[in-house]
C-alpha cells in the first residue's frame, strides 16, 4: 500500500464582485461565489472565507488561482503597485474587466 492518495476537488470559490453595488448601483462590492460538491446550487456571500482546520482531514490542500493582467503579466496586487510610489505603469482597467465578466 503506497502513501499516494488521490486528491479530488470538493469546493470552489471565486471572488465575483457585485458590480452593481451601492446606492447608485455603481460600486464594486467584493463577494465570494462558491460551490461545494453535492450542493444543488452555488452560494454568494460577502463574509470572509474561513477554512477551519478541524473541518478537513490531513492532506487537504487549498488552492487559490488569481487572474493575470493581460497588459503587464502580473497578478492584481503586483499590477496595481507597479511603479512603486503611486505611479501605476500599467493602465489595465480591472473594474472594466470585472463589469464585462460579471454583469
Amino acid at each position: 500500500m503506497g502513501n499516494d492518495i488521490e486528491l479530488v476537488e470538493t469546493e470552489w470559490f471565486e471572488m465575483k464582485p457585485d458590480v452593481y453595488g451601492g446606492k447608485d448601483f455603481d460600486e464594486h462590492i467584493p463577494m465570494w461565489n462558491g460551490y461545494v460538491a453535492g450542493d444543488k446550487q452555488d452560494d454568494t456571500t460577502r463574509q470572509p472565507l474561513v477554512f477551519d482546520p478541524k473541518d478537513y482531514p490531513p492532506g487537504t490542500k487549498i488552492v487559490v488561482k488569481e487572474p493575470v493582467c493581460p497588459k503587464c503579466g502580473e497578478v492584481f496586487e503586483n499590477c496595481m503597485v507597479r511603479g512603486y510610489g503611486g505611479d501605476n505603469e500599467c493602465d489595465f482597467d480591472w473594474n472594466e474587466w470585472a463589469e464585462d465578466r460579471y454583469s
Side-chain angles (χ1 to χ4, degrees), residues 29-93:
I29 298 175
M31 293 178 28
W32 288 112
N33 182 259
Y35 175 79
V36 177
D39 283 357
K40 295 190 188 276
Q41 65 185 32
D42 59 356
D43 188 26
T44 301
T45 181
R46 293 181 183 165
Q47 300 300 313
L49 288 180
V50 176
F51 294 97
D52 188 332
K54 295 184 304 260
D55 293 338
Y56 300 92
T60 298
K61 296 181 181 186
I62 297 170
V63 177
V64 174
K65 295 182 179 182
E66 295 182 56
V68 174
C69 174
K71 287 192 171 186
C72 68
E74 298 284 351
V75 294
F76 176 81
E77 181 179 11
N78 295 343
C79 172
M80 298 306 291
V81 298
R82 285 184 58 146
Y84 186 76
D87 296 329
N88 186 354
E89 295 174 7
C90 182
D91 64 351
F92 183 70
D93 189 333

